[in-house]
């Protein structure tokens, strides 16, 4: 029995910031995200010994594993701290983050490291920074805010501002070039635009513009054409990467070869980053593969349901867009590993090795958790995902 007057730090009567956070945050979503991070660390120990074979300067077989622990710790810290924010705090951090990411992306042609023909990273000594990873969640939150301001009818040109921010971000991505991130950001941005209340005729018009944009990208970027041509090609050299990943997945069967027993993974390029899914499938089989997919599905479905019940238009569209961003990126990575779509340099959220990816995913999930917390008036009976007022006539 506790002493008189003593209050448990997580009792419902405790008014401290941490106690309020504990009782208002969605602990199911938080647990799912932390589980994925834990799987990422575990799979890094499975992939690191094989990954270092491509770099003779590294002698420690668990070099990438120790770094992954650091990245995971940083990502979880960012997620937890960001989830403490109010919706206003989320907007402020998103604006600052978007401005910072765009600024660094502007400098990439001059100071960026070029890897595989693309200048996407800034070398910071022991680490590299990929600003586009942080631009994604910040742009979604900023766009949702601008769309919500337009709905108020107070003369704020929110739609124009949001599209200008999207256009600038996409232009900087194409300069790198990074087609995969461009398509991901554009798809999520347009989904947020639709959820904010745009009429169907505008959706159809934007779909036409998007199709024209894809054709323009196809005509302008030779490496994009090459990847499309290589997909499903009979040329073994052109499909070496995905063929090795497919062999690793098939070798895993139902329950996998066992911890550290993977053989095919040793010939999979980028196995600790873009193709970490194939490592998990070989060593732990279909069981782990379905478990990972189930966790992503849980985050997206539960998150979207909570977003649909939010009362504020900004919180609705921003939260829904963030959960969609996580789900789409996971779908793209898994689809690449299963040879369903052409290869793209896109990480598996919370699981792939990479400091920028882990930090940005922590920021994305932190934003989403902050927006879906149970605050007074946040959830109203019968709240709809589509606001009553439409953005455009």
């Amino acid at each position: 029995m506790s002493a008189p007057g003593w209050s448990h730090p997580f009792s419902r009567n405790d008014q401290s910031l941490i106690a309020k956070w504990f009782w208002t945050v969605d602990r199911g979503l938080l647990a799912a995200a932390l589980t994925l991070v834990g799987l990422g660390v575990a799979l890094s120990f499975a992939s690191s010994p094989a990954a270092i074979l491509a770099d003779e300067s590294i002698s420690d077989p668990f070099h990438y594993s120790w770094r992954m622990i650091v990245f995971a710790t940083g990502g979880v810290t960012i997620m937890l701290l960001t989830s403490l924010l109010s919706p206003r705090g989320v907007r402020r951090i998103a604006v600052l983050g978007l401005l910072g990411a765009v600024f660094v992306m502007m400098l990439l042609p001059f100071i960026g490291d070029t890897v595989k023909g693309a200048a996407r990273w800034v070398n910071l000594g022991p680490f590299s920074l990929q600003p586009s990873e942080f631009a994604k969640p910040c742009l979604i939150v900023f766009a949702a805010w601008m769309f919500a301001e337009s709905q108020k009818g107070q003369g704020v040109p929110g739609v124009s501002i949001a599209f200008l921010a999207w256009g600038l971000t996409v232009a900087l991505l194409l300069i790198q070039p990074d087609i995969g991130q461009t398509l991901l950001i554009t798809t999520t941005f347009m989904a947020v635009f639709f959820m904010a209340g745009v009429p169907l005729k505008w959706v159809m018009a934007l779909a036409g513009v998007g199709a024209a944009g894809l054709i323009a990208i196809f005509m302008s970027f030779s490496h994009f054409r090459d990847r499309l041509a290589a997909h499903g090609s009979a040329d073994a050299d052109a499909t070496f990467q995905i063929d090795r990943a497919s062999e690793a997945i098939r070798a895993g069967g139902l329950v996998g070869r066992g911890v550290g027993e993977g053989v095919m993974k040793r010939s999979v390029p980028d196995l600790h980053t873009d193709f970490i899914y194939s490592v998990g499938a070989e060593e732990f089989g279909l069981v782990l593969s379905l478990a990972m997919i189930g966790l992503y599905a849980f985050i997206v479905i539960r998150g979207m349901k909570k977003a649909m019940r939010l009362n504020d238009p900004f919180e609705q569209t921003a939260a829904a867009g963030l959960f969609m961003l996580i789900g789409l990126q996971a779908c793209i990575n898994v689809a690449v590993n299963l040879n369903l779509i052409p290869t793209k340099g896109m990480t598996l959220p919370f699981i792939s090795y990479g400091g920028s990816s882990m930090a940005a995913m922590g920021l994305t999930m932190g934003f989403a958790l902050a927006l879906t917390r149970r605050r007074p008036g946040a959830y109203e009976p019968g709240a709809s995902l589509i606001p009553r007022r439409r953005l455009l006539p």
Side-chain angles (χ1 to χ4, degrees):
M1 181 178 295
S2 60
W6 183 84
S7 175
H8 190 279
F10 292 113
S11 71
R12 291 188 179 274
N13 295 326
D14 192 337
Q15 296 300 305
S16 67
L17 179 64
I18 302 299
K20 288 182 179 179
W21 170 85
F22 179 80
W23 291 113
T24 58
V25 74
D26 190 302
R27 295 190 290 278
L29 290 172
L30 177 61
L34 292 175
T35 301
L36 286 171
V37 173
L39 285 173
V41 173
L43 290 178
S44 73
F45 279 93
S47 63
S48 182
I52 67 164
L53 297 177
D55 191 343
E56 297 180 355
S57 65
I58 300 176
S59 58
D60 183 0
F62 296 108
H63 170 80
Y64 292 115
S65 303
W66 309 131
R67 290 171 64 89
M68 182 62 173
I69 291 174
V70 174
F71 296 154
T73 302
V76 169
T77 301
I78 290 173
M79 179 173 63
L80 295 177
L81 291 177
T82 307
S83 68
L84 293 168
L85 295 171
S86 65
R88 178 179 293 182
V90 169
R91 289 196 299 264
R92 289 175 176 173
I93 296 298
V95 171
L96 292 174
L98 181 60
L99 290 174
V102 167
F103 176 73
V104 177
M105 289 166 70
M106 287 179 174
L107 298 178
L108 284 178
F110 311 101
I111 65 172
D113 277 357
T114 301
V115 180
K116 298 181 181 180
R120 302 172 185 172
W121 298 268
V122 176
N123 191 346
L124 300 177
F127 303 102
S128 295
L129 174 69
Q130 187 175 359
S132 61
E133 291 285 353
F134 300 92
K136 291 184 295 186
C138 294
L139 176 65
I140 296 307
V141 172
F142 178 72
W145 180 28
M146 289 297 99
F147 293 152
E149 289 299 312
S150 291
Q151 293 167 355
K152 295 179 180 179
Q154 298 177 352
V156 178
V159 175
S160 299
I161 295 173
F163 269 86
L164 284 173
W166 164 78
L168 177 60
T169 304
V170 165
L172 293 171
L173 283 171
L174 292 176
I175 289 173
Q176 295 180 8
D178 193 338
I179 308 301
Q181 298 282 24
T182 298
L183 296 178
L184 175 61
I185 284 181
T186 300
T187 302
T188 312
F189 177 86
M190 293 306 173
V192 170
F193 188 42
F194 170 72
M195 290 185 291
V198 65
L200 184 59
K201 63 181 181 180
W202 280 94
V203 175
M204 297 176 65
L206 288 171
V209 173
L214 277 176
I215 295 174
I217 290 174
F218 179 83
M219 299 299 293
S220 303
F221 296 94
S222 59
H223 77 282
F224 182 65
R225 294 196 300 271
D226 294 341
R227 287 194 175 186
L228 288 178
H231 183 62
S233 171
D235 185 356
D237 292 334
T239 60
F240 175 82
Q241 191 175 36
I242 192 62
D243 287 345
R244 300 292 81 74
S246 298
E247 290 172 1
I249 293 172
R250 288 195 298 268
L254 180 62
V255 295
R257 293 178 181 269
V259 180
E261 297 299 321
V263 176
M264 302 307 300
K265 67 181 182 182
R266 298 171 187 170
S267 59
V268 179
D270 301 322
L271 76 160
H272 59 314
T273 55
D274 301 345
F275 289 92
I276 191 68
Y277 177 88
S278 66
V279 176
E282 181 180 13
E283 299 207 348
F284 301 97
L286 182 64
V287 173
L288 179 68
S289 300
L290 293 178
M292 286 193 295
I293 294 173
L295 285 169
Y296 288 118
F298 173 80
I299 289 175
V300 174
I301 294 172
R302 184 180 179 93
M304 293 295 284
K305 283 184 177 181
K306 291 184 72 70
M308 290 173 67
R309 291 171 34 232
L310 286 166
N311 190 45
D312 182 77
F314 157 69
E315 295 170 21
Q316 282 183 346
T317 51
L322 291 166
F323 286 119
M324 184 175 294
L325 177 64
I326 295 172
L328 282 175
Q329 183 163 331
C331 284
I332 291 172
N333 181 278
V334 173
V336 167
N337 276 261
L338 296 177
N339 200 20
L340 299 177
I341 61 175
T343 57
K344 298 181 181 298
M346 198 167 294
T347 57
L348 188 59
F350 305 110
I351 291 181
S352 290
Y353 171 87
S356 293
S357 174
M358 187 64 74
M361 275 299 132
L363 184 67
T364 303
M365 194 66 190
F367 280 161
L369 289 172
L371 292 170
T372 54
R373 283 172 55 191
R374 295 188 299 274
R375 297 176 302 276
Y379 293 93
E380 295 292 342
S384 171
L385 182 61
I386 305 299
R388 295 185 180 90
R389 182 184 179 87
R390 293 194 168 189
L391 284 175
L392 300 168

